[in-house]
Amino acid sequence: MIILTDQEMNQANELADIRNNGMIQYRKEPGLNRHQHFVGAKGEIAFARLFGLTVEMVHKPEGDDGVDFFMDGKCIDVKTSEAPFPKLISKKSKIRADIYVLAHTKKNKVAFLGWIRKQNFIDKHQTLIGVQGSPWYVTNECLNPITTL
């Protein structure tokens, strides 16, 4: 588990502001778009610390195209959730990275639940029924330990 420092939490807040400004607001509830960016930023910052990488603090009006990091020639997408029973979720049309990582966050803590290769995600996915866009997901049992990445 990674415990984010005050400086890293401030970085996550700043990154959420950068990413939220000028973006199409796809969540109807006020503030939820920014909060979703904040949650994602915490996972990315923790991942960057764990693997000695850098988080880009830049505005991407079109989004990150499903790639957060490049490591050892592979594209990595970190998915972070606050849900009590998190799943690794992605829309079928946004499955572009080589590797997906699932993180869980609560307050300033981030735990990495595991990772999966793109093809395994495609092979093992289930579909969230009743959710707009019918996104795909895999459960934690399908993930490899983060220590093996």
Side-chain angles (χ1 to χ4, degrees), residues 53-66:
L53 303 169
T54 303
V55 175
E56 289 185 318
M57 299 292 290
V58 296
H59 183 245
K60 297 180 180 179
E62 302 301 319
D64 63 13
D65 205 27

Side-chain angles (χ1 to χ4, degrees), residues 14-34:
E14 182 181 341
L15 190 53
D17 286 339
I18 290 169
R19 290 181 177 172
N20 194 56
N21 291 335
M23 291 288 290
I24 295 171
Q25 301 298 302
Y26 48 90
R27 300 287 300 264
K28 293 179 184 174
E29 303 86 352
L32 278 186
N33 287 291
R34 188 203 176 278

Side-chain angles (χ1 to χ4, degrees), residues 31-56:
L32 278 186
N33 287 291
R34 188 203 176 278
H35 183 73
Q36 195 164 345
H37 289 300
F38 177 62
V39 168
K42 290 194 298 181
E44 290 173 33
I45 290 166
F47 186 86
R49 189 203 307 168
L50 187 63
F51 288 97
L53 303 169
T54 303
V55 175
E56 289 185 318

Side-chain angles (χ1 to χ4, degrees), residues 2-148:
I2 302 282
I3 298 175
L4 298 176
T5 64
D6 288 344
Q7 181 179 356
E8 289 168 326
M9 290 295 286
N10 289 338
Q11 181 184 9
N13 265 305
E14 182 181 341
L15 190 53
D17 286 339
I18 290 169
R19 290 181 177 172
N20 194 56
N21 291 335
M23 291 288 290
I24 295 171
Q25 301 298 302
Y26 48 90
R27 300 287 300 264
K28 293 179 184 174
E29 303 86 352
L32 278 186
N33 287 291
R34 188 203 176 278
H35 183 73
Q36 195 164 345
H37 289 300
F38 177 62
V39 168
K42 290 194 298 181
E44 290 173 33
I45 290 166
F47 186 86
R49 189 203 307 168
L50 187 63
F51 288 97
L53 303 169
T54 303
V55 175
E56 289 185 318
M57 299 292 290
V58 296
H59 183 245
K60 297 180 180 179
E62 302 301 319
D64 63 13
D65 205 27
V67 175
D68 296 318
F69 298 98
F70 292 94
M71 190 170 83
D72 299 329
K74 303 282 186 201
C75 303
I76 299 175
D77 191 6
V78 178
K79 300 291 190 183
T80 308
S81 174
E82 292 180 310
F85 303 101
K87 299 175 181 79
L88 199 154
I89 301 172
S90 183
K91 290 183 179 177
K92 178 181 178 182
S93 63
K94 292 192 172 191
I95 297 179
R96 298 183 185 108
D98 299 309
I99 293 172
Y100 290 85
V101 174
L102 178 60
H104 181 263
T105 185
K106 187 170 184 180
K107 297 184 180 177
N108 67 333
K109 297 179 176 126
V110 179
F112 290 102
L113 304 180
W115 66 276
I116 191 168
R117 292 184 195 282
K118 176 182 181 177
Q119 191 58 54
N120 286 345
F121 190 169
I122 292 167
D123 293 344
K124 296 178 180 183
H125 83 274
Q126 299 177 56
T127 303
L128 279 175
I129 305 299
V131 176
Q132 183 178 1
S134 299
W136 287 3
Y137 74 93
V138 292
T139 58
N140 298 351
E141 295 79 29
C142 296
L143 304 178
N144 302 300
I146 196 69
T147 54
T148 63

